[in-house]
Amino acid sequence: MAIVEELQALQRDALSAIAGAGASDELERVRVRVLGKSGSLTAYLRSMKDVPKEQRAEVGKTLNQVRNVVEGALADKKRVLEDAELTAEIDAGAVDVTLPGRAQQVGTRHLISRITDEISDIFLGLGYNVVAGNEIETDYYNFEALNTPADHPARGMQDTFYVVDRSGDKAAVRGESDVLLRTQTSGVQAHVMEAQKPPIYIIAPGKVYRRDVADPSHLPQFNQVEGLVVDEGITFGDLKGTLEYFVKQMFGEDRKTRLRPHYFPFTEPSCEADISCGICGGEGCRFCKGTGWVEVLGAGLVDPNVFAYAGIDPERYSGFAFGMGVERIACLKYNIPDLRMLLEGDMRFLRQF
Ligand code: PHE
């Protein structure tokens, strides 16, 4: 067979192999077989020098034509196969653009943070400073310096979380004092009076801890805002006026306040403040247990013994202190029946505030 016919046969074979290739890797194998280093057409190109002179022009022309035809067919087929493969890949990972999107929920500050700020703002407006305290506290500041005798029930293991070292012993840091999670923000009073000279007008918001099981009215961790005023000539009337002002700012002008005698180790006299029930307006309902009043905070005049611990002269200075539960204020303001709702992170609940 003349070379030209051999080349035409080679072209036919190559074109049918190209047409039959079903995937790009298969097509690549055809290309290598024909046009690769040791491909069939390459062999002809290499042996041009052996072709007799008089045939060279014709053979050369045919060779070029065959090569162009095969290369063109390869390129066309390659595009077709790659398109098909891309389409298949897109279909396989298909995104259903008609599906509804997933809405991103926008967060807001938690109700407890907002109420804490609201309380702080009311007292900032009266010229108080905000101070931070320690959540991990010593027995001394949480109890002793607050005139809480060693046998006071509040010091019992049932109320206080003690911080223990690995051996299970209570960790002692200050003499015989124990380390604990503060049960009240009142310890900040002792720190401030130790560090600052009167006049003192401060509030101290923060978390406190008690060994309580969570139920509608108890949480093992909750938030308090402590208040302390020490100055010359401070009377119970100042305390009363301050609390009444606070209640009206927080709950509205129509809320009444009453003070009931109570006991706290670090204040004398001590009281609890009640406000008229927001649900029945003071008529008496289930929420206020028929009394028309709900308790909001504890307060009193600073006990002279507490001044003595801090080295403040009780003859010259007097003061008052108060402490309120932030969760309780939130519940009273928004009529929330169960403290635990504040902790559950349920957006349907939290979004209302
Ligand atoms: N620390 C008291 C409590 O947790 C509240 C309080 C604070 C009472 C300041 C009087 C003065 O119950």
Side-chain angles (χ1 to χ4, degrees), residues 146 183-187 189 208 210 222 224-228 262-267 270-272 295 297-301 320-325:
L146 295 171
T183 59
Q184 51 187 359
T185 45
S186 299
Q189 288 187 40
V208 301
R210 288 186 195 174
F222 57 101
Q224 287 188 330
V225 177
E226 191 79 12
L228 174 70
H262 199 73
Y263 169 78
F264 295 105
F266 35 91
T267 46
S270 304
C271 62
E272 274 187 339
E295 178 217 319
L297 53 79
L301 293 187
F320 64 75
F322 55 85
M324 61 186 93

Side-chain angles (χ1 to χ4, degrees), residues 134-136 142 159 161 181-188 204-211 219-226 324-327:
N134 314 316
E135 284 175 40
I136 297 178
N142 195 75
D159 293 316
F161 285 112
L181 298 183
R182 67 176 174 190
T183 59
Q184 51 187 359
T185 45
S186 299
V188 182
K207 295 190 187 76
V208 301
Y209 303 81
R210 288 186 195 174
R211 287 182 56 159
L219 294 174
Q221 183 217 67
F222 57 101
N223 291 267
Q224 287 188 330
V225 177
E226 191 79 12
M324 61 186 93
V326 180
E327 283 79 359

Side-chain angles (χ1 to χ4, degrees), residues 109 112-124 128-135 182 184-189 192 201-209 222-228 246 322-327 329:
R109 301 198 67 216
I112 292 306
S113 307
R114 289 205 1 245
I115 296 278
T116 304
D117 285 355
E118 240 178 273
I119 297 169
S120 301
D121 284 346
I122 293 170
F123 287 100
L124 283 169
Y128 288 55
N129 289 318
V130 178
V131 300
N134 314 316
E135 284 175 40
R182 67 176 174 190
Q184 51 187 359
T185 45
S186 299
V188 182
Q189 288 187 40
V192 169
Y201 289 80
I202 60 105
I203 53 161
K207 295 190 187 76
V208 301
Y209 303 81
F222 57 101
N223 291 267
Q224 287 188 330
V225 177
E226 191 79 12
L228 174 70
F246 166 73
F322 55 85
M324 61 186 93
V326 180
E327 283 79 359
I329 303 270

